[in-house]
Amino acid sequence: MSRYASAAACLAGGLALMLSAAAAAQKALPPLPQPSGPAPVPAILQNYKPVTADELKKPGDGDWPMYRRTYDGWGYSPLAEITPANVGQLKMAWTLETGQVEGHEAPPIVVNGVMFVATPGNQVLAIDAKSGDLLWRYKRPIPEDMLLLHPTSRGVGVYGDKVYFAAADAVLVALDAKTGKEVWKTKVEDYTHGYYMTLSPLIADGKVMVGCSGGELGIRGFVAAFDAETGKPVWKTYTVPAPGEPGSDTWPKGDQWKTGGGSVWIMGNYDPATNLAYWGTGNGGPWMGDQRPGDNLFTASVLALDVATGAIKGYHQYHPNESWDWDEVSPPILVDYRHNGRVIHGLVDVARDGYLWELARVDGGKIAFVAGEPFVKQNVFTSLDPKTGRPHVDPARKPGTGKKADFCPSLWGGKDWPPVAYSPKTRLLYIPANDNLCGTSIGEKVSYSPGERFVGATTTLYIAPGADHIGELQAWNLDTGKKVWSHPFANSQLWGPVLATGGGLVFMGGTNDRYFRAFDAATGKVLWQFRTGSGVIGVPVAFAFDGKEYIAVQSGWGVDSARMQARLNLVRPYQFPDVPQGGSIWVFALE
Amino acid sequence: MTLAAGLGLVVAPRLVRADEEDAKRERPQPGDLLVKIGGDPAPLAAKDVPQGGPQILAWPFDPAGKTVRDGSRLNKVLLLRLDPAGFDEATKARAVDGVVAYSAICPHAGCEVSRWLAPVQHLECPCHFSQYDPKAGGAVIGGPAPRPLPALPLKTVDGRLAVARPFTARAGFQQS
């Protein structure tokens, strides 16, 4: 056959195939084979042991059952196989793509050898923690008309045979840990009115507790508790009081309280001895304090809530009449420390307002001020009241409606949402700080429209003249109140949650160079680093399986880390290049 | 027959409500009029849109069912009245007396495109500063927006602004 003949035969054959395909398309296709039942449950899930209340109070050394592993918020694992001497040999054990973009901030939660990971896009993955096999995937569609300003999740909670997920569209979902199927779901609030959820649920006393984000969308913040077994509402405590409720005298007479903000972004910490949970609250809404004259309790505060009833038993407001967008996102950690020779039964918070706050837990849930000092460049507070800790604010540094002010730290604060870690071995507190960032803000009148932006401010960001770094991992000794070491990042902001381990290491990512690093917990020396595909802003964890220690973290740049990068790129063009998005889970171990 | 009528009686009221909910959530349809959000409920005419900006926001209004389509924020329509001499051909064809209509929802992260930059005649989203040219089909001028603002072609019915055709592209944004 000539070349032409062969081509013609090919064409004819192709045509015949197409014709027969067309004829087949007109006939009914045979039915597809149907699975004969539900997918088989893998052995590791068949053997999944219900998580008990005692295990949440005192997790096994190899488990990481909640956001910070323990109720006190330390972010500390006692595992000690990986040490400064061998961490240089740390290798990737497995990795897995999440299929999502945006900020991957959640810790991999590990119990019974099963890892549960929440990602953006209302997704939860269950994975065999040792092998990296995907066991199930849960995905809940996000309504197309939802204004989701922070597309992220900070993790799931586990209790009994369920996995609890605070879905972005303000719905609390309980999943069957063995199958990933919904057991119950409860509407927490109305997303069309600006309520959304980013936090990991706090599970204690048979309840699942969550709060809502939306301080930029005219919400009224709250913490709400639901029965862990049934999902039925138990109590709901607003962070902004209604007229007549305690604290309402710190609000003006009008309707400002209805849209007063006080978001709850992060899971509270919990003291089982008193059944009190400590929650951080966001700024007031809209942003300018002169549109809501008064201290505006309980915005920019820590609240002590009775988990049985939701009653507010105590509070400390870090800065009254919030006007800088300094949400006090993270709750204080529960830790006892020395101060002037006394041992304080304490709370310590590293705040967005740029101060490290030492507080005390006193009888009945009250919170007392002990000390506060700046950990980054801060030019707004001229001093603190020595008794109450109330800051004296330089009026020139406070923005208002039609009044521009220039202040440090920037609206993202000295430390935003990424959690600190505390090691009881070194007695050091590890702070992922952003130093030398400042900005301006000017307010404007704004009218409320349900579910729309309700901010009323125009802001800028700049780097303080002469700054030699931005991001800075700091280690503070809580007993002396002194900074012991710091590791600066000259050309990157820092959005890295911190993990401390019993092996004498601190793990953290958070920089725009996409590295995940291990530091010597005692000295701050970088001992190991690994480059992932995107920036690492997930909460790192340590877990063990068959006696072997693993380190796990999500990579996936987005949300505020990316927004700050865009702003920095305006300040120093081309020095803060785009960081690619795309989420993945990384697990490391010694060979 | 009796059975069917009986069923109709029982089911009809629920169906009507569901239909109404659907109609409120349905994107703007040809023939819809436009009513100002938070303003006079009378359907808008070109002269009700301020000449030279800023934009005003409107809901589509189905005159047959007397339904304001306010069931989804993705139905928010931004109306702007400018000198049509500066419009590109596609924008001219969609405009009525210098009035152009676009989706008010930024296709980047879903914020309302609420700012009007009069000196450059650009629309701006306050969340991440995406800018659009309303004279050139809502083209992206700057910022992270991945695509132009969807346009809503207009016509006139009895002197009122009316929707001529659906949005030129899907209104809204990609949920991550």
Side-chain angles (χ1 to χ4, degrees):
Chain A
M1 235 188 318
S2 77
R3 243 193 309 173
Y4 299 108
S6 130
C10 254
L11 267 174
L15 199 61
L17 262 177
M18 281 164 66
L19 284 172
S20 67
Q26 288 172 14
K27 277 193 256 166
L29 290 168
L32 290 171
Q34 293 292 315
S36 56
V41 175
I44 186 171
L45 289 177
Q46 284 178 34
N47 299 327
Y48 185 85
K49 266 195 322 58
V51 177
T52 66
D54 284 342
E55 281 171 311
L56 293 181
K57 285 178 192 156
K58 194 177 183 327
D61 284 357
D63 288 342
W64 194 285
M66 68 182 84
Y67 183 60
R68 301 307 290 139
R69 183 172 175 274
T70 46
Y71 280 135
D72 49 25
W74 289 2
Y76 172 79
S77 164
L79 296 176
E81 181 196 353
I82 305 169
T83 66
N86 62 24
V87 70
Q89 308 304 312
L90 203 59
K91 297 280 189 303
M92 187 188 81
W94 57 264
T95 181
L96 185 132
E97 304 289 324
T98 70
Q100 296 293 312
V101 291
E102 272 300 351
H104 286 61
E105 300 180 350
I109 297 297
V110 184
V111 282
N112 294 325
V114 182
M115 177 184 284
F116 301 101
V117 185
T119 77
N122 265 357
Q123 178 176 250
V124 181
L125 306 173
I127 304 159
D128 181 323
K130 185 186 177 197
S131 68
D133 288 345
L134 185 60
L135 302 170
W136 52 251
R137 182 196 297 265
Y138 169 82
K139 206 158 183 319
R140 175 182 167 80
I142 297 179
E144 65 165 359
D145 60 347
M146 182 180 178
L147 179 48
L148 181 53
L149 285 187
H150 294 82
T152 190
S153 166
R154 303 200 169 98
V156 296
V158 288
Y159 179 53
D161 53 2
K162 296 183 188 66
V163 176
Y164 298 91
F165 176 54
D169 47 326
V171 172
L172 178 61
V173 183
L175 302 172
D176 182 332
K178 292 186 177 180
T179 63
K181 303 276 185 251
E182 286 178 357
V183 180
W184 55 254
K185 57 182 178 239
T186 300
K187 180 176 165 179
V188 176
E189 252 297 350
D190 183 355
Y191 80 82
T192 69
H193 283 62
Y195 291 86
Y196 59 101
M197 297 203 291
T198 57
L199 81 181
S200 146
L202 169 63
I203 298 161
D205 196 27
K207 299 174 192 71
V208 184
M209 286 158 275
V210 294
C212 274
S213 304
E216 279 64 48
L217 302 173
I219 68 148
R220 180 183 174 211
F222 62 86
V223 177
F226 301 85
D227 183 274
E229 196 51 42
T230 64
K232 292 214 164 50
V234 181
W235 52 255
K236 181 174 187 176
T237 300
Y238 284 98
T239 58
V240 174
E245 290 176 353
S248 58
D249 55 344
T250 64
W251 286 83
K253 294 284 178 224
D255 283 342
Q256 284 94 331
W257 62 277
K258 290 181 179 168
T259 52
S263 306
V264 174
W265 295 94
I266 296 285
M267 171 183 136
N269 292 325
Y270 173 64
D271 186 348
T274 55
N275 207 27
L276 292 172
Y278 296 86
W279 297 83
T281 65
N283 60 330
W287 282 10
M288 290 305 127
D290 60 10
Q291 295 179 24
R292 40 180 166 77
D295 282 2
N296 305 144
L297 292 176
F298 298 94
T299 63
S301 300
V302 47
L303 281 175
L305 299 187
D306 182 339
V307 170
T309 62
I312 299 175
K313 295 292 188 181
Y315 73 95
H316 174 81
Q317 187 176 50
Y318 299 105
H319 50 281
N321 193 238
E322 215 296 323
S323 301
W324 301 268
D325 189 26
W326 291 335
D327 297 72
E328 291 312 348
V329 174
S330 50
I333 65 165
L334 279 53
V335 62
D336 294 350
Y337 57 89
R338 289 185 174 279
H339 183 77
N340 291 343
R342 287 185 301 144
V343 173
I344 308 283
H345 186 49
L347 298 169
V348 172
D349 187 45
V350 180
R352 195 144 146 190
D353 65 21
Y355 270 60
L356 195 163
W357 297 93
E358 296 180 7
L359 307 170
R361 282 171 279 171
V362 291
D363 287 346
K366 296 240 175 337
I367 299 170
F369 168 75
V370 176
E373 66 176 300
F375 63 95
V376 292
K377 185 178 176 60
Q378 214 276 14
N379 62 13
V380 176
F381 302 167
T382 53
S383 62
L384 302 182
D385 181 287
K387 275 211 174 106
T388 64
R390 185 187 178 95
H392 299 286
V393 170
D394 178 350
R397 302 282 181 196
K398 183 174 180 179
T401 308
K403 178 195 165 199
K404 188 173 189 170
D406 184 319
F407 54 87
C408 322
S410 78
L411 69 89
W412 280 288
K415 184 196 74 70
D416 201 282
W417 78 269
V420 300
Y422 168 74
S423 165
K425 274 200 166 171
T426 59
R427 291 197 60 76
L428 297 179
L429 179 71
Y430 302 98
I431 304 175
N434 279 309
D435 198 6
N436 295 315
L437 287 182
C438 308
T440 67
S441 183
I442 181 170
E444 70 224 4
K445 282 231 159 62
V446 59
S447 60
Y448 174 74
S449 171
E452 298 296 346
R453 202 163 178 269
F454 189 61
V455 171
T458 302
T459 61
T460 66
L461 176 76
Y462 70 91
I463 301 170
D468 62 355
H469 71 283
I470 302 172
E472 182 181 7
L473 176 60
Q474 304 178 352
W476 288 69
N477 184 311
L478 288 183
D479 297 322
T480 63
K482 296 271 180 280
K483 185 157 76 172
V484 176
W485 58 257
S486 79
H487 181 92
F489 295 95
N491 298 309
S492 181
Q493 71 276 40
L494 183 56
W495 286 84
V498 188
L499 158 69
T501 70
L505 293 167
V506 169
F507 290 87
M508 184 188 73
T511 49
N512 58 17
D513 56 12
R514 313 191 327 255
Y515 278 103
F516 181 53
R517 296 181 170 90
F519 301 82
D520 187 316
T523 66
K525 190 175 176 215
V526 176
L527 300 174
W528 171 86
Q529 59 182 9
F530 183 94
R531 202 166 205 194
T532 71
S534 183
V536 180
I537 58 171
V539 176
V541 308
F543 68 92
F545 194 82
D546 286 344
K548 188 176 176 68
E549 180 180 354
Y550 297 84
I551 304 294
V553 73
Q554 290 204 83
S555 168
W557 194 250
V559 201
D560 286 293
S561 61
R563 291 170 196 170
M564 185 184 267
Q565 181 89 352
R567 290 280 189 102
L568 287 168
N569 206 25
L570 294 176
V571 179
R572 287 186 190 163
Y574 310 116
Q575 291 189 36
F576 293 89
D578 191 19
V579 179
Q581 293 203 357
S584 47
I585 303 160
W586 295 81
V587 176
F588 303 95
L590 297 173
E591 279 180 331
Chain B
M1 284 305 285
T2 320
L3 182 65
L7 270 180
L9 272 177
V10 174
V11 173
R14 289 184 68 189
L15 282 180
V16 168
R17 273 210 298 277
D19 281 356
E20 208 172 279
E21 279 307 303
D22 285 351
K24 283 162 111 45
R25 293 184 63 84
E26 196 172 35
R27 300 285 166 269
Q29 299 296 307
D32 280 359
L33 304 176
L34 295 155
V35 294
K36 191 173 175 184
I37 296 179
D40 187 337
L44 293 162
K47 65 172 171 49
D48 300 324
V49 184
Q51 177 67 42
Q55 65 270 42
I56 61 171
L57 292 181
W59 292 119
F61 171 70
D62 168 20
K66 302 209 181 320
T67 305
V68 179
R69 300 194 198 277
D70 59 0
S72 167
R73 57 189 296 275
L74 300 187
N75 289 350
K76 286 189 176 177
V77 175
L78 166 171
L79 295 168
L80 189 60
R81 189 167 161 217
L82 300 170
D83 181 355
F87 290 176
D88 69 9
E89 286 309 309
T91 305
K92 260 183 204 160
R94 295 173 191 142
V96 163
D97 297 337
V99 177
V100 287
Y102 291 98
S103 165
I105 304 302
C106 180
H108 172 233
C111 294
E112 217 171 73
V113 180
S114 60
R115 289 192 180 149
W116 173 239
L117 308 178
V120 288
Q121 297 208 313
H122 290 163
L123 295 160
E124 188 183 63
C125 175
C127 284
H128 308 101
F129 312 110
S130 290
Q131 285 187 26
Y132 304 92
D133 185 351
K135 303 185 297 308
V140 180
I141 299 300
R147 59 191 179 99
L149 274 185
L152 186 67
L154 296 178
K155 63 182 179 182
T156 313
V157 172
D158 300 333
R160 309 284 190 185
L161 296 171
V163 174
R165 292 190 301 284
F167 279 129
T168 53
R170 183 177 55 81
F173 53 107
Q174 186 72 46
Q175 296 283 16
S176 66

